[in-house]
Amino acid sequence: MRTPVGELLYRAKYGNLPFPDLHGLIHLLASTLAYQIRRVNASYEAIVPAPPSIKRSHQPVLLLAEALGNFLGLPVKHVLHKEDGVPVKNIPNELRAHELEKRIHLQKGAVLPKRILLLDDIVGTGSTLEACQNRLLSAGADAIEAWALTIAPSQDPSDTMKAWLSP
């Protein structure tokens, strides 16, 4: 179950929130996330947003990354790209990791810092973040911390956490 703010983000992503309201929501979410990041004394050199699954007129994760970068004074590196295909949410959970490893690519010639904040708006199984992390590590990043704002409605939060905490 999502928080009320998470529900607003979900609606914004899937078209049930008017676009002018989206900018206010993004500003609120980015400032709240920036506060939390400062509170835990996290130290990053750049923000890398997870690549969107499908093309939209507005991409909440990209808007959020830019706003968060402004709040934290960090550059946003758009170095991950996802090949077109079936939206991730429509791929059965047991096939997602394999499919995403094939579809997520690092931009050629991308220069990465060592400490990265990997950002996604909505996390389901964690497969997208895992595939992104693998690409970034293989390109030379040393430390990657993933942050997401809410979970997919079909996911049990304990299942998502188990997937991320298991060795």
Side-chain angles (χ1 to χ4, degrees):
M1 181 163 178
R2 282 190 295 272
T3 64
V5 173
E7 183 63 27
L8 282 173
L9 178 62
Y10 184 82
R11 289 181 185 192
K13 184 171 183 171
Y14 293 104
N16 297 321
L17 186 70
F19 187 68
D21 295 343
L22 178 63
H23 289 290
L25 175 63
I26 293 296
H27 183 82
L28 171 68
L29 293 173
S31 65
T32 303
L33 189 54
Y35 170 78
Q36 292 299 326
I37 289 168
R38 286 186 188 114
R39 207 175 113 222
V40 298
N41 288 322
S43 175
Y44 306 107
E45 296 173 276
I47 298 169
V48 174
S53 294
I54 60 173
K55 291 183 170 84
R56 294 182 177 86
S57 61
H58 57 279
Q59 297 286 3
V61 69
L62 302 181
L63 295 172
L64 183 63
E66 293 296 335
L68 183 61
N70 288 335
F71 277 109
L72 295 175
L74 293 174
V76 177
K77 304 271 191 177
H78 298 275
V79 296
L80 294 171
H81 303 283
K82 190 180 297 175
E83 291 177 10
D84 290 339
V86 176
V88 174
K89 68 179 188 169
N90 297 336
I91 300 171
N93 289 353
E94 63 274 7
L95 302 177
R96 280 186 192 181
H98 177 70
E99 184 64 24
L100 288 167
E101 285 293 333
K102 293 189 307 186
R103 288 176 40 191
I104 292 178
H105 303 284
L106 189 68
Q107 177 183 335
K108 275 191 173 179
V111 178
L112 297 176
K114 296 296 181 189
R115 295 183 324 274
I116 294 174
L117 184 160
L118 176 59
L119 181 67
D120 206 350
D121 49 4
I122 300 173
V123 66
T125 63
S127 297
T128 297
L129 291 173
E130 185 176 5
C132 291
Q133 178 181 355
N134 291 343
R135 290 290 177 261
L136 295 169
L137 288 171
S138 69
D142 284 341
I144 301 166
E145 289 187 15
W147 290 72
L149 293 172
T150 193
I151 61 168
S154 60
Q155 293 303 122
D156 177 340
S158 62
D159 289 344
T160 299
M161 291 308 294
K162 285 179 205 163
W164 273 90
L165 296 175
S166 62

